[in-house]
Amino acid sequence: MENQKKSSNLLFVLFLILSVSSIAFGQLKTDFYKNTCPNVESLVRSAVRLKFQQTFVTAPATLRLFFHDCFVRGCDASMLLASPNGKAEKDHPDNLSLAGDGFDTVVKAKAAVDSDSKCRNKVSCADILALATREVVAMTGGPFYPVELGRRDGKISTFTSVQHQLPGEGFNLDQLNTMFARRGLSQTDMIALSGAHTLGFSHCNRVSKRLYNFSPKSSIDPTLNKAYVAQLKQMCPLRVDPRIAINMDPTTPNTFDNAYYKNLQQGKGLFVSDQILFTDSRSRNTVNFFASNNDAFKQAFATAMTNLGRVGVLTGNQGEIRFDCTRPN
């Protein structure tokens, strides 16, 4: 009798733990819209494919928008909200480099979803962004992974909420791990998500310090590959327009692959926060593993994107389903 009581108590505790963790993940599920908008995935896919055919920037821009959105206030599409007085998340200096094509991708996908009368105003902008991100990853050669759905849209977007919430290009491993751990993401998740730098571009002002003014001892960052330094200096001479774009991945910038990690092994990480993943012995083994195994990288990236997509989500009656992704209802 005593044992029965103990086991039922244990089951109850387990039930509570599972209940709390499912609430924490916000009851997200891949078939969330099976009754309300069963073809949501194909509607988003068609719109994203059309946009991608118009410009390749669609891919890195959408992926980066998803990351920035999830890191500030959670994955609630608050990064998409516009403010009449320039005080929204998107207006913060850390977000000004987010390409407009990412925002436009979500707007176009939302219009496609809403063109189906069954789906109109049933699917959140946060879920549309999550689905669009998976599509651009797959369209560029990355993994096609299941996307958990059921997020609601946030109603708040403030300039100040961005402060110290996004990783900086000069971060060391401890700073990166601390920031990602705060969002329930492991070091392996962080290294896999950094692999998104296999796509897209940055700007000369983000790397000039590593090329010309690194430290009192050395004007050039000694962890940089010498041939790569020459290449970067050619693209980013002193006093060049700081908005000049440079590829994050100098080898295959338009393909989602593990070249990013192979570049790190050769000292070709564009940011300090990229190269540190190889120079710090605590993360080097994972970089070497991903560099040697593209499938393992893609699998780890898919897992990390699922974990990222659970960060700070609003569900149930929280938030709203925005009618227009750029403003609250």
Side-chain angles (χ1 to χ4, degrees), residues 41 45 134-135 137-138 142-146 302:
E41 298 203 17
R45 184 169 306 129
R134 188 265 307 274
E135 295 307 326
V137 167
F144 184 88
Y145 51 90

Side-chain angles (χ1 to χ4, degrees), residues 165-223:
Q165 296 304 311
L166 292 161
E169 65 263 17
F171 270 24
N172 63 30
L173 188 68
D174 290 324
Q175 289 171 306
L176 287 167
N177 277 335
T178 300
M179 184 164 275
F180 279 73
R182 261 193 244 130
R183 290 154 181 85
L185 299 164
S186 68
Q187 178 174 286
T188 304
D189 288 334
M190 181 272 290
I191 298 168
L193 290 169
S194 299
H197 286 171
T198 180
L199 297 177
F201 54 87
S202 185
H203 300 91
C204 286
N205 62 332
R206 298 282 184 182
V207 292
S208 60
K209 187 172 190 275
R210 293 187 79 196
L211 301 174
Y212 301 107
N213 188 26
F214 184 64
S215 72
K217 280 186 186 168
S218 169
S219 59
I220 298 168
D221 183 341
T223 64

Side-chain angles (χ1 to χ4, degrees), residues 33 40-41 44 48 123 126-136 147 149 151:
Y33 295 105
V40 62
E41 298 203 17
V44 170
V48 174
V123 183
D127 278 346
I128 289 170
L129 174 55
L131 285 169
T133 302
R134 188 265 307 274
E135 295 307 326
V136 297
V147 177
L149 301 166
R151 298 168 193 80

Side-chain angles (χ1 to χ4, degrees), residues 82-94:
S83 153
N85 57 5
K87 290 280 182 249
E89 288 173 25
K90 65 189 288 195
D91 303 308
H92 190 278
D94 289 352

